């Protein structure tokens, strides 16, 4: 039965759109405060070194310099750059706390090229830069290591004390792997390599901090996790949370980079020292070269299959390049295993999280899924073809199904309640012309091919207790204010949440104003990551809105004398439940509740939602490519992305997520890479050499939205934000194979690499 | 150095350092923070404004180059409380996500339509090829510009 909705499923304009097209929206970089200082970071010229001495006297003596801080000045408190709360962080691949919390604000040792060594605050940029030059540092250079295989060697330099051969290793087992392989008719093995990727948010990472005479700290930051930032400031700098306010204004991109602790603590500490506001804004070069990146990985997959195509066992060995600090690495690496959308009774996953002297790898849209989806979907494409089976039917035969227990491999007994992958595959195959015969091209230097890849992703964190809360105030004119801690990064969560609130309360969408991501005013939320906003945040909004609706009905009943059980709300009205006949406008009820009721009340409700599961969304991307055999150029002719999102709260926003993530996936597959020299210095820290797709590189993406209606989701919604990047590289790789008959197992598929593979074969 | 120029129809006569970049004049001197900085090297197009009917990266234009010029920024698109049809179309088509590239994108699109009211899709893509967007995948931006170009 399809219910008639008033707000859900409508492509309303985004609530922040007018501010953004007029230039009115204020981003962190747009914040200018009286007496605001410029913050700058001194960075290490070595990838691995001890700081033997550091002298800041000359820098401090320079006119206009208001603060200089080194490791000797900052509190010696360790923290995790991942930002997760202590109680929940050891949950995934069990990692001792000393590795999870391995970062000092500034340290007497540097572990990657460009790591902060000191920071200054000065009256202007020029003075700040001069001050950096005046800081005298004596380094003792140490041997450094950058590649995971080098780092695993017996004599490799130790990046972190106590980690034997720089590695944290853990194995997760399901069933009996040996039994699984012994039941197989064939065993296939493949190895894959993936490169790092940089988020390249268009607004560089920026913080602005000010300290009031009372000691109250206000921080504006390009963050996805205001509450995690507030907690970390509180823990590291020893400030009570009542004295720390974190605000995420309009933000120029997130994609996981800003799920990390960035430079917020340094900025606050500079402001505390200087006694003046400080803006700390990274340059584009700093942002590309020295901030967190997607984990480079080396993946081995071994799969046992029966003649009929049934998978009997899967063994995966992964080495991820963690960089210099642990951060998100255990979670990202584990997540590679928990998002495998196939029934594999016997499985073994070995995670090798390897430290190197590179900036720490961390969260990036997809969180381990793009790497593993690439490897797995290329591997399965090969198996299907070698078994002589249709790759679509082979996938469907082994795919998880509604009723299957726990496909996410969590410590939980939930079962899969919604899965629209078959509809995604059928519709996608039709749109790309999967079963149509290949046509020979007139131009013999070019060949075409089609491929697809499937991914599954969570709707919320699957590694920690996931939790959101929301608050709704009903104004006395019947309009409402929704307060939620979840930051809108531009993906449109404020708009989606307003639609859920409107539908649930029976108020018009236009009558709802959203304020999000201000720790002093909005209600607690983990943050904007793990594709959690629509599902976890949305469920919290729905619960708060239901409470408001109950209040509206309570006061409408007092007003009209109609029993509560006979009343409902919709589209701005209190109506008769049974026939939806209009009874009284909600605006009049809201006014009555405040001014005329026997027991006046300002209707102001809040609710919390704890996600017991994080039901997966599913996607398949189909690609048709044309490969130029003479240049190695891979041109995408057609791109079809079919997504099971549960329910599209706002279809235009859903399409935007699909198209945008496909673009990042295409960049990851074809052009984006981080090239380091032998000293660990990034050689391509700019948009000329780090190649993000431009308008002329992007094909038109045909989005197919499948609604499987997740029973536990708000109006059936699951997630869409992160998943879309994961199938892209595998789909493109399989299409290249279909075109040229060569499997390229190492990302990215640059012209040089494709051409060299063609020439080799 | 005294420099006369026009921004969004308003005359300015400022005594400024001739080596200042146009983006700094707009943001720091005039308070027009709608124009954003993305790279400072002319590679991302985020700071695009229109100078004498041509789209330029305001991070690559120096104060001395704006003498006598007429500059249009995102703040100047709205006329008498009415959004420009490009702004309306960007909103309607969902062409905005984080919005940081949006002002530059709008100005590149505006410059295109000022000089070529009926561009093809390829011409639209070429006109915004210097403007990076990391959120949208460009599809909806191209669609938004196309919709206005048809008028």
């Amino acid at each position: 039965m399809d219910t008639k909705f008033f707000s859900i499923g409508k492509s309303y304009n985004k609530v922040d759109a007018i501010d953004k097209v007029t230039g009115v929206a204020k981003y962190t970089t747009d914040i200018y405060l009286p007496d605001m200082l410029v913050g700058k970071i001194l960075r290490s010229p070595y990838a691995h070194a001890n700081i033997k001495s550091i002298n800041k006297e000359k820098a401090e003596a320079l006119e206009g310099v208001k603060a200089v801080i080194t490791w000797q000045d900052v509190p010696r408190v360790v923290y995790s750059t991942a930002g997760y709360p202590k109680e929940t962080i050891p949950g995934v691949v069990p990692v001792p706390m000393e590795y999870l919390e391995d970062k000092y604000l500034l340290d007497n040792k540097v572990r990657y090229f460009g790591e902060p060594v000191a920071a200054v605050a000065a009256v202007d940029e020029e003075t700040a830069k001069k001050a950096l030059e005046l800081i005298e540092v004596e380094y003792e250079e140490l041997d450094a290591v950058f590649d995971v295989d080098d780092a695993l060697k017996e004599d490799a330099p130790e990046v972190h004390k106590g980690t034997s051969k720089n590695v944290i290793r853990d194995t997760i087992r399901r069933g009996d792997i040996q039994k699984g392989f012994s039941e197989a008719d064939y065993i296939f093995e493949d190895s894959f390599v993936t490169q790092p990727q940089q988020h390249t948010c268009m607004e560089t990472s920026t913080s602005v901090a000010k300290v009031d005479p009372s000691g109250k700290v206000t921080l504006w930051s390009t963050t996805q996790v205001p509450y995690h930032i507030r907690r970390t400031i509180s823990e590291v700098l020893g400030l009570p949370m009542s004295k720390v306010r974190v605000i995420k204004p309009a933000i120029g991109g997130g994609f996981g980079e800003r799920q990390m602790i960035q430079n917020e603590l340094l900025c606050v500490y500079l402001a505390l020292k200087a006694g003046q506001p400080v803006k700390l804004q990274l340059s584009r070069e700093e942002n590309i070269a020295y901030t967190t990146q997607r984990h480079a990985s080396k993946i081995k997959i071994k799969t046992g299959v029966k003649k009929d195509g049934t998978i009997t066992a899967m063994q995966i060995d992964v080495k991820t390049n963690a960089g210099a600090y642990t951060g998100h690495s255990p979670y990202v690496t584990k997540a590679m295993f928990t998002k495998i959308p196939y029934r594999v009774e016997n499985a073994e996953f070995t995670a090798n999280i390897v430290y190197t002297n590179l900036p720490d790898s961390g969260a990036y849209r997809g969180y381990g899924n793009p790497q593993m989806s690439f490897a797995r979907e290329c591997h399965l494409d090969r198996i299907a073809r070698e078994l002589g089976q249709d790759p679509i039917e082979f996938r469907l035969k082994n795919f998880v199904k509604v009723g299957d227990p726990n496909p996410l491999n969590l410590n939980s007994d939930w079962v899969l309640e919604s899965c629209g992958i078959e509809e995604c595959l059928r519709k996608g195959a039709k749109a790309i012309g999967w079963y149509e015969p290949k046509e020979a091209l007139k131009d013999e230097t070019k060949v075409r091919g089609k491929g697809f890849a499937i991914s599954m992703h969570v709707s919320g964190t699957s590694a920690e207790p996931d939790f959101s809360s929301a608050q709704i105030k009903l104004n006395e004119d019947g309009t409402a204010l929704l307060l939620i801690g979840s930051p809108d990064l531009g993906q449109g969560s404020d708009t989606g949440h307003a639609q859920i609130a409107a539908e649930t309360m029976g108020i018009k969408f236009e009558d709802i104003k959203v304020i999000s991501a201000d720790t002093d005013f909005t209600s607690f939320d983990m943050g904007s990551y793990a594709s959690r906003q629509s599902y976890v945040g949305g469920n919290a909004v729905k619960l708060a809105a239901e409470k408001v609706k109950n209040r509206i009905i309570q006061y409408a009943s007092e007003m009209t004398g109609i029993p509560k059980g006979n009343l409902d709300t919709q589209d701005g009205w209190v109506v008769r439940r049974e026939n939806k006949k209009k009874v009284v406008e909600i605006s009049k009820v809201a006014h009555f509740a405040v001014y005329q009721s026997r027991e006046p009340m300002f209707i102001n409700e809040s609710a919390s939602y704890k996600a017991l599961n994080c039901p997966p969304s599913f996607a398949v991307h189909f690609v048709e490519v044309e490969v130029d055999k003479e240049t190695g150029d891979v041109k995408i002719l057609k791109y079809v992305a079919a997504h099971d999102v549960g329910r599209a709260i706002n279809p235009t926003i859903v399409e935007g997520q699909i198209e945008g993530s496909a673009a990042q996936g295409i960049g990851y597959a074809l052009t984006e890479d981080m090239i380091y020299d032998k000293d660990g210095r990034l050689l391509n820290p700019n948009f000329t050499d780090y190649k993000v797709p431009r308008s002329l590189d992007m094909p038109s993406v045909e989005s197919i939205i499948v609604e499987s209606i997740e029973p536990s989701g708000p109006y059936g919604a699951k997630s869409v934000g992160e998943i879309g990047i994961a199938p892209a590289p595998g789909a493109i790789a399989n299409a290249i194979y279909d075109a040229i008959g060569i499997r390229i197992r190492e990302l990215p598929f640059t012209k040089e690499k494709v051409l060299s593979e063609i020439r080799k074969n | 150095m005294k420099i006369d120029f026009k921004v969004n129809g308003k005359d300015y006569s400022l005594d400024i350092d001739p080596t200042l970049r146009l983006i700094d004049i707009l943001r720091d001197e005039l308070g027009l923070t709608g124009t954003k900085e993305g790279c400072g090297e002319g590679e991302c197009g985020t700071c695009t404004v229109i100078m004498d009917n041509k789209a330029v990266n305001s991070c690559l234009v120096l104060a001395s180059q704006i003498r006598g010029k007429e500059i249009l920024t995102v703040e100047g698109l709205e006329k008498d409380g009415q959004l420009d049809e490009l702004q309306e179309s960007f909103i309607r088509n969902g062409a905005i996500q984080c919005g940081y590239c949006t002002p530059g994108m709008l100005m590149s699109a505006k410059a295109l339509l000022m000089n070529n009211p009926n561009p093809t899709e390829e011409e639209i893509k070429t006109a915004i090829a210097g403007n990076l967007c990391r959120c949208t995948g460009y599809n909806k931006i191209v669609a938004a510009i196309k919709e206005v170009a048809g008028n």
Side-chain angles (χ1 to χ4, degrees), chain A residues 14 20-21 26-27 29-30 198-200 284 364 490 655-656 660 664 672 687-688 693-695 698-699 701, chain B residues 27-28 33 36 38 43 46 74 87 91 96-100 106 125 129 132 134-140:
Chain A
K14 285 174 62 195
K20 285 179 174 173
V21 293
K26 286 274 175 277
Y27 294 73
T29 42
D30 296 330
Q198 187 49 267
H199 311 74
T200 69
R284 176 56 59 190
Y364 187 158
E655 283 171 16
Q664 289 188 2
E672 295 181 39
F687 284 131
T688 300
R694 292 179 181 267
S695 53
M698 263 306 284
V701 174
Chain B
R27 289 176 59 87
D28 301 344
T33 57
K36 312 293 180 198
E43 292 172 341
T46 307
V74 70
Q87 292 172 308
I91 295 175
I96 308 143
Q97 288 191 31
C98 86
Y100 202 76
L106 282 166
K125 285 187 170 184
L132 281 181
R134 195 53 156 164
C135 297
T136 66
Y138 306 100
N139 281 207
K140 294 199 184 304

Side-chain angles (χ1 to χ4, degrees), chain A residues 631-644:
Chain A
T631 64
D633 184 44
V634 176
K635 191 177 168 195
I636 295 174
L637 301 175
K638 197 164 183 180
Y639 202 104
V640 176
H643 283 244
D644 166 19

